[in-house]
Amino acid sequence: RPLNPGTSTTSSASLLVPSSRGSIWHYYSTSLPHYSEATEDASADADADDGDEDTAPLPPFVKADARRAAQQYNNRRAAYKDAVSELRKQYAAEIARQRKSDEEAEAKKRAALTRQRLERQRAKNIRSARNAARAEEKRLARAAEFEEELRVAQINRDARRARFAKARQLVVDELEAEAPLWLTTPE
C-alpha cells in the first residue's frame, strides 16, 4: 500500500521498505489478515517490474520481507489455531466435568428420592403389618366371643327344651292321672 514518505502513520511493529521507484514506500504490516495480502504487494511489484523494462527488478530484501511477513502470518495463524484448539479442549473438558458433576448431583438426588420413597414404603408396610396384626387379633377376639355366644345360646336352648320337656311331662302326668276316669264314662 503506497504511502507518502512525509506522512508517518506507521507503528513500531510495521516495516517500511522502499520500492524500485524510490519515492513510494510500501507498507507491510506484521498483522496481515490473509496470506494473499502478504504476498500481493510483492507479486504486484514483480508483475509491474516485468512489464516495465526501464525499471529495475525488486531488490532481494523486498522479496525476503514479503516472505518474512508471510511466514509471520503463517506462524501467527498456526499459533491462533493451536490456541483455539487448546481452548476448545479446555471447554470440552470443563463441559465434561460439569456434565459429570451434574450427573453425580442428579444421581444423588435420585438416590435420595428413592431412599425417601423406600423409607415411606417401609413405614407404610410396617403400618400395614401392624394393622393386619390388629385386625387378626380383633378377628380372633370376635371368633372367641362368637364361640361364647354360641355356648351360651346352646345352654339357653337346652334349658328351654328341658323346661318344655318338664312341662310336657307334667301335662302328660296330669292327663294320665285323669285318663282312668275318662275310660269309665258312658261315652
Side-chain angles (χ1 to χ4, degrees), residues 16 19 53 59-60 64 72 74 86 88 96 100 106 116 120 123 142-143 145-146 163 169-170 173 185 187:
L16 292 176
S19 71
E53 293 183 12
Q72 287 175 354
N74 290 337
E86 184 63 32
R88 285 182 179 157
K100 184 178 179 184
E106 184 66 27
Q116 290 173 353
R120 285 193 309 269
R142 181 66 190 130
E145 289 175 6
F146 182 69
R163 280 192 312 268
Q169 186 60 41
L170 285 173
D173 288 345
T185 59
E187 291 179 22

Side-chain angles (χ1 to χ4, degrees), residues 130-148:
R130 286 180 184 161
N131 290 340
R134 195 176 302 122
E136 182 65 17
E137 288 174 4
K138 286 182 181 179
R139 188 189 67 77
L140 292 175
R142 181 66 190 130
E145 289 175 6
F146 182 69
E147 290 292 325
E148 181 64 23

Side-chain angles (χ1 to χ4, degrees), residues 171-185:
V171 169
V172 168
D173 288 345
E174 189 177 320
L175 289 175
E176 283 179 358
E178 290 179 9
L181 299 175
W182 295 337
L183 293 176
T184 58
T185 59

